[in-house]
Amino acid sequence: MKIKLLLALFVVQLGFAQQRTCGTKEYMQNMLANPELRQQYLDLQQQFESELQRLELLQHSRNAQGVNAPNVTIRIPVAVHFPSVTATSGNASLRDCLKLLAQRQVNILNADYNATNSDITLWQAASEFYPGVNIGDMDVSFEIATQSHPTGSGLGFPINGQPAVTFGTDFLSNADSDSTWAGYCNLVVRNIANGILGYSPLGGSPSAGMTVVIDNNAFGATMTGSPATCSGYVPSAPYNLGRTLTHELGHFFNLDHTFDACDGSNCATSGDRVCDTPPADTPYFDCDAPGTVFTNCGATQLTMNYMDYVQDACMYMFTAGQATRMTAWYNTIASQLQTDVLANNDFVTSNFSIAPNPNKGTFAIQLKEATDSYSVIIIDALGREIYNTDFNQTTDLVQNIQIDTTLSGLYYVTIQSNGATITKKILVE
């Protein structure tokens, strides 16, 4: 078995394709230097610790009784901002492309945070090297907001039905917050200096309009069809599967890196403060076989974890403890989120169904009531768009769909109608 001793050395990224670099630690140092922001942060963290303790005790009680947690999906309103792209008529095609890219990235988030990503199956073989570690599933739905956009958002009319994807807003001057967008999970995409791929507050506050910032060369994944990429926003290998945002958003939900320090006598208060992530004191960057990388802390490094530094193709899971911690942070800040900006999906949910499922790549979308127009987008488990069609002025109650793929696996069918969006999973055999 190959053994690698990790050196306690952090190498500054000299070229984009070399090593992942996250700017969260520097961001937090600057933020906590402000006494007012520091006190707000400490107050939220105190609330969080109480909520985390409550959730862990509740989970322990359920485990003892053999009772599963209730299945209630968290809905989080998302706004995506491209500040360096102006909202002019001359770049309409670029803006349309970036809207598709934004939705693609959100689809990747939903797969990663719900453990429905196709490469999660790799854990079956890897798990033998990590006893006591289980896959984490946050049961969350990240949704680009479509309703009641704030005044000054620059989205124009109609005010409802348009996705919250903005161009040339206040984030243009490298701002990391904007009160106009308070209450949203804000994602800002722009060029970041010094090879940093992204950064986020460690425990973000939506009411302050805080953001997760991602470099324009690490946002989303290459699209299929036309256009395959958006000019100036081309995800670059090996960080081209959208997982930089998965990592940085983990920080927003109060997850630290898995490698900051060895655990002390209490894993709940030292290291990354998550007891089911093996202790590590150095990031790992490469793609090596599970169970072959050992840390200075005497543990096997969980290299496939989203909160380490490996390349996108080699990170594919959160742990159950990390999912609990993120849920506790959501519960702490839930009142700060403006859920009224999300479409009411009740009609769409009840009106559309898919059959058969599983299928061979051919299926039917069935409607209970005729709908004037709707669109269907199909994404594979890696976030690649393989189908996108609008159905306008149709009275058909059945729409046959055939996707051009010979690959079996999980796919996501997103149906958009009158500003509402639902996503259903299908299994292609």
Side-chain angles (χ1 to χ4, degrees):
M1 177 181 293
K2 178 174 59 176
I3 298 177
K4 293 191 176 183
L5 295 178
L6 302 179
L7 301 177
L9 175 66
F10 186 84
V11 182
V12 176
Q13 184 173 345
L14 299 177
F16 186 84
Q18 291 181 351
Q19 294 179 328
R20 184 182 299 278
T21 306
C22 167
T24 289
K25 182 174 291 187
E26 292 77 8
Y27 176 95
M28 291 303 296
Q29 289 174 347
N30 291 332
M31 189 185 84
L32 296 179
N34 182 308
E36 183 178 353
L37 293 179
R38 177 181 176 85
Q39 189 58 53
Q40 292 172 0
Y41 172 79
L42 293 176
D43 289 344
L44 273 179
Q45 288 292 332
Q46 185 175 18
Q47 296 174 40
F48 161 77
E49 292 295 343
S50 297
E51 176 59 18
L52 179 61
Q53 184 178 36
R54 186 190 72 83
L55 283 185
E56 290 176 338
L57 290 173
L58 183 61
Q59 185 62 51
H60 178 76
S61 175
R62 285 173 175 154
N63 290 342
Q65 300 175 45
V67 177
N68 293 326
N71 185 22
V72 179
T73 299
I74 297 168
R75 298 180 71 194
I76 296 182
V78 174
V80 185
H81 310 280
F82 298 92
S84 61
V85 178
T86 57
T88 63
S89 58
N91 61 6
S93 60
L94 174 59
R95 286 183 281 122
D96 288 342
C97 183
L98 291 174
K99 289 177 183 179
L100 290 174
L101 185 64
Q103 185 60 58
R104 171 178 298 277
Q105 176 67 85
V106 170
N107 292 339
I108 293 169
L109 286 180
N110 283 320
D112 289 351
Y113 277 75
N114 293 309
T116 57
N117 46 299
S118 62
D119 49 355
I120 197 67
T121 57
L122 296 173
W123 179 248
Q124 185 174 357
S127 60
E128 65 174 296
F129 302 106
Y130 306 96
V133 179
N134 295 303
I135 292 171
D137 173 4
M138 196 178 171
D139 199 2
V140 63
S141 176
F142 294 98
E143 303 174 25
I144 297 179
T146 59
Q147 309 295 308
S148 304
H149 298 311
T151 302
S153 63
L155 290 175
F157 295 96
I159 198 67
N160 289 332
Q162 291 193 78
V165 180
T166 73
F167 305 96
T169 60
D170 291 345
F171 294 110
L172 181 64
S173 300
N174 293 330
D176 292 327
S177 63
D178 186 346
S179 59
T180 300
W181 290 96
Y184 294 74
C185 178
N186 288 294
L187 313 178
V188 173
V189 188
R190 61 170 176 244
N191 180 261
I192 307 176
N194 301 320
I196 293 174
L197 300 188
Y199 60 89
S200 166
L202 184 61
S205 174
S207 64
M210 288 184 175
T211 67
V212 178
V213 181
I214 302 296
D215 187 81
N216 58 296
N217 291 308
F219 183 80
T222 303
M223 297 183 285
T224 58
S226 179
T229 59
C230 307
S231 178
Y233 294 83
V234 180
S236 300
Y239 310 112
N240 58 336
L241 299 180
R243 280 169 167 167
T244 294
L245 182 56
T246 301
H247 175 103
E248 298 302 339
L249 195 62
H251 288 316
F252 194 89
F253 284 97
N254 215 26
L255 289 187
D256 210 337
H257 292 132
T258 54
F259 52 74
D260 275 351
C262 297
D263 290 351
S265 58
N266 185 350
C267 59
T269 58
S270 58
D272 66 348
R273 293 172 291 171
V274 181
C275 286
D276 65 352
T277 58
D281 62 352
T282 308
Y284 197 68
F285 300 96
D286 298 326
C287 291
D288 284 287
T292 62
V293 181
F294 292 83
T295 76
N296 295 323
C297 307
T300 305
Q301 187 133 350
L302 194 65
T303 55
M304 65 289 297
N305 192 264
Y306 291 127
M307 301 312 294
D308 208 329
Y309 267 4
V310 295
Q311 299 168 8
D312 278 17
C314 302
M315 54 167 57
Y316 56 78
M317 57 96 74
F318 288 116
T319 68
Q322 288 174 317
T324 298
R325 188 174 179 88
M326 289 190 289
T327 301
W329 186 257
Y330 165 78
N331 291 346
T332 303
I333 63 171
S335 62
Q336 299 184 21
L337 292 166
Q338 297 190 38
T339 54
D340 60 334
V341 302
L342 296 174
N344 185 341
N345 291 346
D346 292 345
F347 171 75
V348 178
T349 301
S350 62
N351 194 42
F352 291 87
S353 62
I354 295 175
N357 188 17
N359 57 66
K360 300 293 185 181
T362 299
F363 57 91
I365 294 179
Q366 302 173 344
L367 285 72
K368 291 182 180 179
E369 300 178 25
T371 301
D372 287 342
S373 63
Y374 59 95
S375 62
V376 178
I377 303 169
I378 302 177
I379 306 292
D380 69 13
L382 292 179
R384 297 174 296 193
E385 182 179 293
I386 63 169
Y387 183 94
N388 189 334
T389 301
D390 295 325
F391 298 98
N392 297 314
Q393 297 179 342
T394 178
T395 58
D396 296 336
L397 294 179
V398 177
Q399 185 65 54
N400 293 313
I401 305 290
Q402 182 173 357
I403 56 178
D404 184 19
T405 180
T406 58
L407 296 177
S408 61
L410 195 65
Y411 292 80
Y412 301 87
V413 181
T414 296
I415 302 170
Q416 299 173 336
S417 178
N418 297 320
T421 300
I422 60 166
T423 297
K424 295 178 179 289
K425 303 174 188 175
I426 63 170
L427 181 63
V428 174
E429 296 179 327

